[in-house]
Amino acid sequence: EAVELLKSTASGKFNESVDIAIRLGIDPKQSSQMVRGTVSLPHGTGKQVTALVLCNPEQEKDAKNAGADFVGLEEYVEKISKGWTDVDVIITTPQIMPKIAKLGKILGPRGLMPNPKSGTVTTDVVKTVKEVKAGKIDFKIEKTGIIHSIIGKVAFTSEQLTENVNEFVQTVNSLKPPSSKGIYLKSINISSTMGVGFNIETKAFIKSE
């Protein structure tokens, strides 16, 4: 019902993004209650994801064939150190991480620093590139205790958006920290870029609790 209302009230003259915000009943200041994960949305996000792969020369061809937009190492490390961050995701291997550690100050604040927890530091670059291009996204709890993410476009069918919402919420729900007490899913809200937000009843997602 929320998806139908969102689609009917979206008034932008462009294909607006659909965003989800989930407020969790945890204390993000506690490391034991950090919620972070990845999810492969059934229908992707509708957004063209630009991927950079930092790898050794022998892996460049495979990464390019898998769909990476930019592939290399030294030249991109230099570009990034000068401020270039015109990509949506950066993928690399464990062997390369020490070589790009110095880029943390630039990439970290932008959420672009490769991280094993988000799946962007991997031994299987080809698989990861394909997943990212197909709509795999990573998310993590913010300081305010809220998780924000894009989960599609207004032009998606109601069924596609509903399935994406279900997959995202169920993934977040499955990551409830053992130390978290009380209500975990406090509120769920979906909205379009220019539209109003709609609250979704959380009871449908807490059957396992």
Side-chain angles (χ1 to χ4, degrees):
E1 183 183 7
V3 166
E4 293 283 0
L5 287 168
L6 181 145
K7 284 176 64 65
S8 66
T9 56
S11 58
K13 295 181 180 179
F14 59 97
N15 188 10
E16 299 176 55
S17 295
V18 177
D19 301 304
I20 189 167
I22 304 177
R23 187 162 64 94
L24 301 179
I26 64 171
D27 182 0
K29 294 179 181 178
Q30 302 293 326
S31 59
S32 63
Q33 294 191 28
M34 172 58 66
V35 176
R36 180 173 192 165
T38 61
V39 59
S40 294
L41 298 175
H43 306 285
T45 63
K47 178 183 177 182
Q48 285 292 102
V49 178
T50 306
L52 162 64
V53 174
L54 298 173
C55 61
N56 290 318
E58 59 268 23
Q59 294 176 297
E60 290 184 6
K61 184 178 179 181
D62 288 341
K64 198 72 175 177
N65 290 340
D69 301 276
F70 305 101
V71 178
L73 183 57
E74 300 298 342
E75 67 270 37
Y76 287 105
V77 170
E78 185 177 349
K79 283 182 70 173
I80 293 169
S81 65
K82 293 180 180 178
W84 181 80
T85 56
D86 195 20
V87 292
D88 296 307
V89 63
I90 299 176
I91 299 164
T92 191
T93 64
Q95 296 91 335
I96 299 298
M97 277 301 287
K99 298 180 181 180
I100 66 171
K102 62 182 180 181
L103 301 177
K105 291 182 180 179
I106 298 173
L107 299 179
R110 293 171 175 78
L112 290 173
M113 191 65 183
N115 188 304
K117 292 182 179 179
S118 66
T120 47
V121 177
T122 175
T123 56
D124 194 339
V125 169
V126 170
K127 179 183 177 183
T128 303
V129 170
K130 289 180 178 178
E131 288 178 340
V132 165
K133 283 290 186 176
K136 183 177 181 180
I137 55 176
D138 69 287
F139 58 85
K140 69 175 181 177
I141 193 78
E142 298 175 0
K143 292 179 180 179
T144 53
I146 296 174
I147 289 178
H148 282 110
S149 181
I150 178 175
I151 46 98
K153 294 283 189 176
V154 167
F156 282 19
T157 66
S158 295
E159 290 75 18
Q160 288 175 324
L161 284 172
T162 299
E163 288 176 13
N164 275 4
V165 170
N166 273 320
E167 186 68 25
F168 190 89
V169 177
Q170 294 291 6
T171 300
V172 172
N173 198 29
S174 71
L175 295 173
K176 180 181 179 180
S179 59
S180 173
K181 305 298 180 184
I183 299 174
Y184 177 57
L185 296 177
K186 284 200 165 184
S187 67
I188 304 170
N189 182 283
I190 60 172
S191 61
S192 60
T193 304
M194 306 294 288
V196 298
F198 296 94
N199 285 315
I200 299 176
E201 178 59 66
T202 61
K203 290 179 181 178
F205 299 101
I206 56 177
K207 297 172 184 176
S208 61
E209 293 186 27

